[in-house]
Amino acid sequence: MSNTVWENLVKKQLKTDDIYSVLKKENLEGIEVKPFYDSVQKALVNLPKIEESTHLVARYHESLEEDVFAFILDQNVENLEQKTIFVDNIDLAGHISPKEEDQYFSLINVFDEKEATINDQLVKELLAKEFRRNICVDISLHQNAGAAIYQQLGIALAKTKELVEVYGAEILNKLVFRIAVGANYFFEMAKLRAFKMVFNQLSKEYTLDEIPYIFAETSLRNKAVADNENNLIRSTLELASAMIGGADAVFSNNYLVDKSTDISEEISFKQQIVLAYESIINVFEDASNGSYYVEDITQQIAEKSWAFFVEMEENGGYMELLKQGIIQKKIYDHAVEEQKWVEEGKIKLIGVNLYPKLEVKKSVEELYNENEIKAVRWAEMFE
């Protein structure tokens, strides 16, 4: 139907001629969201992923050995055959000698955000390993600290460039990007898709045509101590965003905040199983391609991320800006604004600031430090 017919229908349903002010949706990302879409400025090609089917990753437990094909390991386990292993422990990585048929990936962060350094010895040791992907670029911390989406992706590009300058462009296909997926369902889909676009653009600067390996995990930022069931629902939606957005591997952080049981770990993993086996969304290459809305915000996020990356490079690069405290301050400013939206109820957190509404117990100033990138949950203000 034409725009006019569509607009008249919406006006009738909302009982107002001023539909645009009613349907306008504010966001802190600076992304323009229209009330409805009937086209996209530039149709995107299918955005591929590395893995044919998204790996469903569980934290290792012996009871899961028969049913799970991909594990996070932080301690040594003998005779794990025909499994995909994500190593999350420096000491363990040093002792592993993979066989040719093994699939090992490193999730060990080689950047020290507090000291603003790259652990050169660790990078060289990991590159010497016969892993499928040797070096982890971790931006999950930045999401959990309150960084905007475009900041997260710009930082991922800037950290990548730091590695390329030291170790050469051949490192690009040895990287794993560890990304936390938050609560903004469609924006998080678009985040992963936009990252594929900007990473590919960066690789072309080095005459390559690479796509990133994305390890996506559920966020801790929107989880609450007293709302276990709500946490479970939130993380299920985050996993769906990651799979639809084209992650190569997904992992569910435990829905119990600050504690863990064998049962909660099993339930956290089975969220992935339900989505993958009953919705089959883990097998599609780019499931959201063709959605005018997702396409539009994907391109906006890509443009803002690239602009932020260029801005950082023009001012000395990620590590230099980290030393100066500029990156910390930019994340702090966005995180504080986001926390104020939670306090005011603009960002809704069921059981915390809505149904019921709890009292504020900690101020923004108590939660955040403009000189440090640290993870903060929204609900901590009320706990």
Side-chain angles (χ1 to χ4, degrees):
M1 60 178 71
S2 69
N3 276 1
T4 303
V5 175
W6 177 251
E7 284 177 349
N8 287 337
L9 178 62
V10 176
K11 287 176 182 177
K12 182 178 178 181
Q13 290 177 337
L14 293 180
K15 297 182 175 61
T16 178
D17 288 335
D18 188 19
I19 63 172
Y20 291 98
S21 64
V22 174
L23 295 175
K24 183 179 178 182
K25 186 174 175 61
E26 281 187 287
N27 64 81
L28 290 170
E29 300 288 342
I31 299 297
E32 181 187 351
V33 177
K34 295 189 284 189
F36 62 88
Y37 295 78
D38 66 341
S39 63
V40 66
Q41 187 175 1
K42 180 184 176 184
L44 296 177
V45 297
N46 223 37
L47 295 168
K49 57 185 184 181
I50 303 291
E51 301 289 355
E52 187 175 342
S53 295
T54 303
H55 283 304
L56 311 178
V57 185
R59 196 171 297 283
Y60 176 79
H61 192 280
E62 59 184 10
S63 65
L64 299 174
E65 273 196 41
E66 287 188 19
D67 301 319
V68 178
F69 302 100
F71 286 113
I72 283 185
L73 277 191
D74 53 16
Q75 58 185 357
N76 191 36
V77 178
E78 298 289 344
N79 302 318
L80 264 184
E81 298 178 356
Q82 296 182 323
K83 305 291 185 184
T84 297
I85 304 297
F86 293 89
V87 180
D88 198 18
N89 179 288
I90 294 177
D91 295 331
L92 178 59
H95 291 95
I96 289 175
S97 297
K99 299 174 185 175
E100 189 175 331
E101 66 272 16
D102 291 339
Q103 287 199 92
Y104 278 82
F105 297 79
S106 173
L107 290 182
I108 300 164
N109 190 10
V110 297
F111 287 83
D112 187 328
E113 311 289 337
K114 290 185 178 179
E115 298 296 325
T117 57
I118 298 173
N119 189 331
D120 179 63
Q121 182 180 348
L122 178 60
V123 172
K124 289 175 179 175
E125 287 176 3
L126 289 170
L127 287 174
K129 296 285 182 182
E130 293 296 322
F131 285 11
R132 268 197 63 195
R133 297 265 167 166
N134 309 66
I135 306 298
C136 178
V137 177
D138 189 346
I139 57 166
S140 63
L141 168 64
H142 302 78
Q143 192 278 337
N144 282 300
I149 286 174
Y150 73 88
Q151 290 174 336
Q152 295 167 46
L153 301 191
I155 287 168
L157 292 178
K159 291 175 87 169
T160 300
K161 191 169 186 293
E162 299 274 359
L163 290 169
V164 169
E165 287 177 353
V166 179
Y167 305 102
E170 59 271 16
I171 202 172
L172 288 175
N173 65 6
K174 301 180 187 298
L175 302 178
V176 175
F177 291 90
R178 188 171 189 169
I179 299 176
V181 176
N184 200 336
Y185 189 65
F186 292 107
F187 272 47
E188 293 293 333
M189 282 180 213
K191 177 170 84 175
L192 300 192
R193 300 180 78 245
F195 185 57
K196 295 184 183 194
M197 293 172 62
V198 293
F199 180 85
N200 183 252
Q201 185 175 341
L202 178 63
S203 77
K204 286 177 178 175
E205 301 286 331
Y206 302 101
T207 67
L208 298 171
D209 189 21
E210 299 288 342
I211 54 174
Y213 190 105
I214 296 175
F215 179 97
E217 63 183 62
T218 57
S219 174
L220 300 173
R221 186 149 173 81
N222 60 341
K223 306 305 185 291
V225 169
D227 288 311
N228 300 334
E229 292 81 3
N230 290 347
N231 290 342
L232 200 56
I233 294 168
R234 290 176 187 125
S235 54
T236 301
L237 291 169
E238 290 160 6
L239 289 168
S241 285
M243 291 185 191
I244 294 170
D248 295 290
V250 293
F251 173 70
S252 321
N253 280 301
N254 200 300
Y255 66 94
L256 299 181
V257 176
D258 295 335
K259 57 186 174 181
S260 174
T261 66
D262 288 348
I263 294 297
S264 68
E265 287 286 354
E266 184 178 352
I267 291 172
S268 295
F269 175 69
K270 285 183 175 177
Q271 293 174 275
Q272 302 172 34
I273 295 292
V274 172
L275 287 169
Y277 289 18
E278 296 191 12
S279 300
I280 328 178
I281 57 176
N282 65 317
V283 302
F284 294 104
E285 189 171 72
D286 191 6
S288 58
N289 192 356
S291 160
Y292 294 148
Y293 172 47
V294 176
E295 293 279 281
D296 186 72
I297 58 176
T298 294
Q299 293 185 55
Q300 288 189 63
I301 290 171
E303 289 167 7
K304 285 178 69 70
S305 302
W306 187 263
F308 185 60
F309 163 61
V310 170
E311 178 190 328
M312 283 189 284
E313 291 306 306
E314 289 175 346
N315 288 283
Y318 178 69
M319 304 301 280
E320 179 59 33
L321 294 176
L322 207 58
K323 289 174 186 174
Q324 296 177 23
I326 292 173
I327 296 294
Q328 295 92 320
K329 182 64 164 62
K330 285 183 179 292
I331 293 174
Y332 168 83
D333 288 342
H334 185 270
V336 165
E337 189 64 26
E338 195 176 62
Q339 190 71 49
K340 287 178 180 175
W341 275 36
V342 174
E343 186 177 3
E344 294 166 6
K346 290 182 181 178
I347 293 176
K348 295 176 174 56
L349 211 56
I350 305 301
V352 176
N353 64 3
L354 190 69
Y355 308 126
K357 186 175 180 180
L358 305 180
E359 295 296 320
V360 172
K361 294 183 179 178
K362 294 176 187 171
S363 67
V364 170
E365 290 73 25
E366 289 177 278
L367 293 170
Y368 295 92
N369 182 342
E370 66 178 40
N371 299 312
E372 183 183 359
I373 302 173
K374 65 171 185 175
V376 179
R377 292 180 296 104
W378 290 332
E380 288 181 51
M381 173 175 271
F382 306 88
E383 293 172 348

